[in-house]
Amino acid sequence: MISREKYGEAHDPKHTTSSVKHCGGSVMVWACMAASGTGTVFIDDVTQDRSSPMNSEVFREILSAQIPVNAAKLIGRRTLPYDIKIVIAGNHELTFDQEFMADLIKQDFYYFPSASKLKPENYENVQSLLTNCIYLQDSEVTVRGFRIYGSPWRLPPGQGLLDPASLPPDQLWAGWVAAWSFLDWVPKKMQRVGCMELLNTVQRRVQPKLHVFGHIHEGYGMMSDGTTTFVNASTCTVNFLPMNPPIVFDLPNPRTT
């Protein structure tokens, strides 16, 4: 597929060519792409009779061989030249949740029909692929005096995020989901979709200087309640185009005791 839109324009089908022919044949291309650049491009020859060796087994072999290399490259120091990078999983990183995957591969799940073919060894060490960053999952790290806690979950209503032992009172808090009423408005649904339990925890107990999250593309931006600055850092727009620029903020160095 070739797209001829100008940078920043919304997608229009008239700008798209479904295939490219050369010498009477065609090719199948797999590529790993991210906002930071393009990774490996894998080309599979397709014969004139349109037969191809590509099938689900071959495709999984391509993923197994290419994703580790590209994950390190696209999150690496060359494409993201920062001393420290912190990563939290989102709703697309299903393989980071070992219990969920163990249940998923046991059933014929409608939305993930290929999951039943996965083996535990395909995903049990998925965190080890992130070699150039710090991955947080219900854990924290202190970076240059800043205490940062990261969690990817949205808990069901009523579960006690207000339990004093459940979350630390950190300076910076990074997660997947928004707190209710802060950058969580979805116009199409005409409702807020943030987490009320998370809002209670942020405002009534933890009170971090910064709460960074994403997921709700319509809410991109920043706002404050006077104590905590809320940052919806979604890269993609509501149309899933990676057009939102990174949000940069400055914080004073923590005081040393």
Side-chain angles (χ1 to χ4, degrees):
M1 181 179 73
I2 295 180
S3 179
R4 296 185 175 88
E5 287 106 354
K6 295 180 181 179
Y7 179 79
E9 286 186 352
H11 172 66
D12 188 325
K14 71 180 182 180
H15 295 304
T16 303
T17 300
S18 59
S19 62
V20 179
K21 299 294 183 180
H22 59 95
C23 300
S26 60
V27 295
M28 182 178 294
V29 179
W30 178 93
C32 184
M33 294 173 284
S36 57
T38 302
T40 301
V41 176
F42 180 87
I43 300 177
D44 174 40
D45 291 327
V46 180
T47 60
Q48 289 190 354
D49 62 0
R50 299 195 177 189
S51 63
S52 171
M54 181 64 71
N55 54 40
S56 61
E57 295 294 333
V58 174
F59 186 62
R60 283 198 295 273
E61 291 178 1
I62 293 174
L63 296 181
S64 298
Q66 301 297 335
I67 286 181
V69 176
N70 286 279
K73 176 182 178 181
L74 296 177
I75 307 179
R77 294 184 181 275
R78 293 182 180 179
T79 53
L80 292 174
Y82 309 112
D83 292 339
I84 299 168
K85 296 174 283 290
I86 297 175
V87 174
I88 294 98
N91 58 313
H92 294 279
E93 288 72 58
L94 300 180
T95 53
F96 281 79
D97 187 343
Q98 301 295 303
E99 293 183 6
F100 176 83
M101 290 301 300
D103 291 336
L104 185 61
I105 63 177
K106 296 177 183 178
Q107 54 185 308
D108 185 14
F109 201 71
Y110 178 79
Y111 291 105
F112 303 98
S114 61
S116 60
K117 299 179 181 180
L118 289 175
K119 299 178 181 179
E121 55 266 27
N122 297 136
Y123 60 84
E124 60 185 359
N125 294 317
V126 65
Q127 295 183 18
S128 65
L129 302 180
L130 301 178
T131 58
N132 297 303
C133 59
I134 300 171
Y135 177 69
L136 297 181
Q137 181 170 314
D138 304 324
S139 56
E140 64 177 82
V141 64
T142 299
V143 176
R144 296 177 180 173
F146 290 101
R147 190 179 177 193
I148 306 170
Y149 179 85
S151 179
W153 314 111
R154 175 182 180 139
L155 296 182
Q159 289 202 8
L161 283 178
L162 288 174
D163 178 0
S166 62
L167 291 171
D170 290 353
Q171 296 170 330
L172 281 76
W173 204 7
W176 162 61
V177 70
W180 189 83
S181 77
F182 284 90
L183 304 169
D184 67 333
W185 177 253
V186 179
K188 187 175 181 178
K189 296 183 178 181
M190 294 297 291
Q191 65 179 356
R192 297 191 179 279
V193 294
C195 179
M196 180 62 75
E197 282 69 26
L198 182 57
L199 174 67
N200 288 335
T201 300
V202 169
Q203 291 189 323
R204 293 171 56 186
R205 188 176 66 80
V206 179
Q207 298 182 347
K209 292 183 175 67
L210 200 68
H211 178 210
V212 182
F213 53 93
H215 182 52
I216 303 171
H217 303 174
E218 299 92 330
Y220 169 79
M222 300 175 63
M223 63 185 302
S224 175
D225 64 358
T227 300
T228 298
T229 299
F230 296 82
V231 180
N232 183 329
S234 296
T235 300
C236 290
T237 66
V238 67
N239 296 319
F240 296 97
L241 298 175
M243 294 170 54
N244 293 334
I247 294 179
V248 179
F249 48 85
D250 295 314
L251 292 174
N253 292 328
R255 294 182 179 179
T256 57
T257 57

